[in-house]
């Protein structure tokens, strides 16, 4: 089975090449922060969300598939994840994420275990 956790869904409305830096991020149950970094690379698309004071400045790595809707007018991304799922997610560590495949696998396992993403085998 093809894995699409690290790709934007076609239904989200994401347009490749759009600079999402600074956009608002809304979890399924409320505001969680702003996009600090992002990637549009094929099979490696993600958001790094700065949660600010909400969870004490933690940056979290969110797989692109978690984006359910892109609001171009409001510059807001809507996620399928709850605030609690984001709060409990592994912290983004630039050196580890960019250089350490093991860290990426740990992040991948967290989302698969805590969220049943569309088109995937979450929870299995």
């Amino acid at each position: 089975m093809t894995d699409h956790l690290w790709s934007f869904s076609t239904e989200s409305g994401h347009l490749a090449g759009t600079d999402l830096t600074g956009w608002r991020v809304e979890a399924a149950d409320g505001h969680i922060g702003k996009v600090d970094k992002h990637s549009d690379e094929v099979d490696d698309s993600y958001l790094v969300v700065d949660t600010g004071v909400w969870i004490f400045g933690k940056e979290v790595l969110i797989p692109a598939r978690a984006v359910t809707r892109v609001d171009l007018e409001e510059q807001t991304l809507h996620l399928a994840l709850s605030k609690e799922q984001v709060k409990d997610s592994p912290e983004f560590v630039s050196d580890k994420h960019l250089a350490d495949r093991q860290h990426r696998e740990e992040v991948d396992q967290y989302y698969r275990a805590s969220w049943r993403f569309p088109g995937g085998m979450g929870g299995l």
Side-chain angles (χ1 to χ4, degrees):
M1 170 182 259
T2 305
D3 182 354
H4 299 288
L5 184 63
W6 300 98
S7 298
F8 286 95
S9 76
T10 55
E11 296 82 22
S12 72
H14 175 261
L15 300 173
T18 303
D19 184 3
L20 303 174
T21 306
W23 285 37
R24 285 179 54 88
V25 180
E26 297 287 326
D29 54 352
H31 179 72
I32 60 164
K34 293 193 179 280
V35 176
D36 189 37
K37 300 174 180 119
H38 67 95
S39 168
D40 276 340
E41 292 184 38
V42 175
D43 296 329
D44 192 29
S45 297
Y46 59 83
L47 307 172
V48 175
V49 177
D50 181 350
T51 60
V53 297
W54 176 60
I55 49 177
F56 307 106
K58 178 180 174 181
E59 284 189 325
V60 294
L61 182 65
I62 308 284
R65 185 55 54 137
V67 176
T68 58
R69 185 168 61 94
V70 175
D71 185 331
L72 296 169
E73 189 174 310
E74 297 292 324
Q75 293 192 334
T76 301
L77 302 173
H78 297 269
L79 305 180
L81 303 169
S82 70
K83 290 170 98 175
E84 192 68 26
Q85 287 170 309
V86 172
K87 182 180 176 187
D88 292 344
S89 67
E91 186 169 2
F92 175 77
V93 179
S94 182
D95 294 340
K96 282 189 175 184
H97 173 73
L98 299 176
D100 183 355
R101 189 71 189 157
Q102 178 64 33
H103 178 70
R104 175 60 172 272
E105 289 174 15
E106 290 169 8
V107 172
D108 192 270
Q109 288 174 4
Y110 168 77
Y111 285 110
R112 287 180 190 288
S114 68
W115 171 55
R116 220 170 167 74
F117 69 95
M121 300 176 356
L124 299 177

